Amino acid sequence: MSNAMQHLAAGTLQPWRKRNAPLAALDVGGGRVCCMIAAPRKDGAFDVLGLGHRVAQGLRGGAIVDFQAIQGSILAAVHEAEQMAGMVLRQVVAVTSVGCPHSQSLDLSLKLNGRPVGAHDVTRLLIAGRARAADQEHAVLHTLPGTVSIDGRRTVREPRGLRGADLGVGAVVARSSLAPLRQLIGCIESCHLKVENVVSSAYASAYACLTREEMEFGAILIDMGADVTGIAVFGDGRLHGVDTVPLGGAHVTRDLAFGLRTSRYFAERLKAVYGSCQIRASDERQKVIVHRIGEDGDAERGEEARARLTDVIRPRLQETFAMVQGRIREMASLPTLTTRSHIVLAGGASQLDGVSEFAQETFNMSVRLGRPGFLARADGKSEDAASFAAVAGALALTAGSDGGLAYQDPGGSALLPPRWARLSQWWREIF
């Protein structure tokens, strides 16, 4: 059994390490496999050394349905990145929505009996919480500390050295279904790559796209993938929860293929070029060519008003955003969202025309498209496409170049406000 498999079986994953050497992240999604090799810089940015991506074959609904097909997609994407970077990869950080990551809140406590809080007490509580959350059906991806209190009083900024009867920690544990995650790790390792860690796609995208102010005032990151849509909710400078909705851009493509009687390939093309979820008066007059599938299997050329595409796309996005709203309402630790809170969209499906406006109508909040602004290419330009948000966030988490926001435990990295910067030292004091 591989190391990654053993850690999954135990409900843990390998620790993060801060390094200056080139890093590799592998984003395995329902629509695309992307491999990025980058070197961290002193200013916190990354120089992209290699980038490879292929259409994902063999994934559906957050699970592997064709092992050989997804293996081929991974090998092709990794090989392309290796060729560009001029190096051979031995290990990667996997970022994915496989297993449909979701979170639960845990209230952890430790008896102090009047003694001061020690340097390792919070870490011990997080490790205990991680062990409590892991079971035979779920793997724990992240154990993220939030509030810390003494004797049930309000949150303290620096608990170390404070005396009291009880130390309390409110933690958010992100879990994923174990069986599909094991299959994915086995598939990656069959490509002669060691899986160093696994990161939730929504969490990584939020890490790459959200500003500190958005984390503080409240923000919802919606990672619009092909098969699933990930959710990450922030407030008061900390993560409040992650979840996954089993709908994505591929469902829109399938709806178009069925509604227009065309192939999925051509439906994807129509969606990318002419698709929109906003109703515009001119769309009734604008005609688009549709290659219809005839009864004999041959393609027939026909015409449809562009408004017809909107009529198909809009209901599916309404359903997706309604499910997102429902999952957010069910989160146990939901922050107070105000007029200063934002919706941030990431993922390939977020680039569909009119999605930002439609999300603003649905959530009644300010909406923007999230872009990772810290990826620099060799030609000096920024690689800031929304579809690279997850892989960029995984690189930043692995490098630890997060401006002091990360608290590290044995299996993940957490986002915390600046006042928690000293906590990041506790883990390094133990190991």
Side-chain angles (χ1 to χ4, degrees):
M1 182 181 290
S2 67
N3 289 337
M5 290 291 199
Q6 290 172 351
H7 281 287
L8 276 176
T12 63
L13 290 170
Q14 299 178 40
W16 298 93
R17 296 195 306 273
K18 188 172 182 178
R19 299 167 299 180
N20 296 320
L23 309 171
L26 181 66
D27 182 7
V28 183
R32 185 189 65 168
V33 175
C34 175
C35 180
M36 182 177 289
I37 306 171
R41 303 192 316 205
K42 292 182 179 179
D43 60 0
F46 288 83
D47 290 320
V48 178
L49 306 178
L51 177 64
H53 46 85
R54 287 291 187 275
V55 174
Q57 304 285 348
L59 272 179
R60 182 175 299 173
I64 294 178
V65 295
D66 189 327
F67 186 92
Q68 304 247 339
I70 192 61
Q71 183 188 52
S73 298
I74 292 172
L75 284 170
V78 170
H79 179 70
E80 184 179 359
E82 290 176 331
Q83 290 291 100
M84 185 181 297
M87 60 185 296
V88 177
L89 292 180
R90 295 287 180 242
Q91 58 187 24
V92 295
V93 172
V95 52
T96 185
S97 295
V98 164
C100 298
H102 59 282
S103 64
Q104 66 178 108
S105 298
L106 292 179
D107 292 323
L108 310 172
S109 63
L110 177 67
K111 290 289 184 182
L112 296 175
N113 298 320
R115 70 171 177 85
V117 177
H120 310 148
D121 287 336
V122 173
T123 301
R124 292 191 184 103
L125 281 177
L126 292 175
I127 294 173
R130 184 181 193 88
R132 189 202 304 180
D135 56 37
Q136 294 182 348
E137 297 181 355
H138 297 92
V140 177
L141 302 183
H142 314 287
T143 308
L144 314 179
T147 59
V148 174
S149 61
I150 304 294
D151 296 339
R153 296 192 293 270
R154 64 180 183 177
T155 302
V156 296
R157 294 187 177 184
E158 173 56 80
R160 188 167 49 181
L162 296 178
R163 295 177 181 272
D166 296 284
L167 170 67
V169 174
V172 175
V173 180
R175 308 194 306 170
S176 180
S177 296
L178 183 57
L181 198 57
R182 276 179 169 168
Q183 292 172 357
L184 175 64
I185 290 176
C187 184
I188 296 174
E189 293 186 339
S190 72
C191 301
H192 308 288
L193 292 168
K194 176 184 176 182
V195 178
E196 185 179 6
N197 217 316
V198 182
V199 185
S200 161
S201 180
Y203 175 55
S205 296
Y207 197 88
C209 296
L210 296 183
T211 65
R212 291 191 183 185
E213 289 77 12
E214 287 173 331
M215 294 178 191
E216 190 68 36
F217 296 140
I220 301 172
L221 188 287
I222 302 178
D223 183 25
M224 303 181 67
D227 277 346
V228 299
T229 297
I231 312 161
V233 180
F234 285 80
D236 304 321
R238 66 186 181 93
L239 180 71
H240 283 257
V242 296
D243 213 323
T244 309
V245 168
L247 293 175
H251 295 83
V252 175
T253 301
R254 287 194 281 268
D255 290 347
L256 283 172
F258 179 79
L260 302 180
R261 199 159 50 87
T262 186
S263 67
R264 289 190 182 180
Y265 172 82
F266 196 75
E268 181 67 29
R269 178 68 177 168
L270 285 174
K271 182 182 73 173
V273 178
Y274 301 106
S276 176
C277 57
Q278 289 298 101
I279 301 173
R280 298 182 175 89
S282 61
D283 289 348
E284 288 288 351
R285 299 187 298 273
Q286 184 179 0
K287 303 296 183 181
V288 298
I289 302 298
V290 178
H291 295 272
R292 304 188 192 280
I293 299 176
E295 293 182 359
D296 56 358
D298 295 330
E300 303 171 354
R301 288 171 63 90
E303 285 189 348
E304 285 282 358
R306 187 181 180 187
R308 172 62 179 150
L309 274 66
T310 305
D311 292 341
V312 176
I313 293 171
R314 192 176 174 92
R316 180 62 80 178
L317 285 180
Q318 283 179 327
E319 181 184 10
T320 302
F321 285 155
M323 292 184 69
V324 169
Q325 287 179 313
R327 296 294 174 86
I328 292 172
R329 285 193 293 266
E330 293 171 0
M331 287 184 181
S333 174
L334 186 63
T336 301
L337 301 175
T338 67
T339 55
R340 303 171 74 180
S341 304
H342 289 169
I343 297 282
V344 179
L345 304 178
S350 68
Q351 300 177 74
L352 181 67
D353 179 59
V355 169
S356 296
E357 295 89 339
F358 187 54
Q360 187 167 346
E361 295 173 10
T362 304
F363 293 92
N364 195 27
M365 294 171 62
S366 176
V367 178
R368 70 174 180 87
L369 189 63
R371 298 184 183 278
F374 51 82
L375 298 177
R377 302 189 314 205
D379 57 9
K381 296 182 180 180
S382 175
E383 193 71 81
D384 62 352
S387 56
F388 293 135
V391 70
L395 288 171
L397 283 165
T398 306
S401 54
D402 54 2
L405 288 175
Y407 178 90
Q408 299 176 343
D409 72 10
S413 195
L415 290 177
L416 292 175
R419 63 176 178 267
W420 290 87
R422 293 185 185 178
L423 288 177
S424 63
Q425 299 175 3
W426 292 9
W427 180 250
R428 291 193 292 269
E429 292 175 4
I430 302 176
F431 296 90

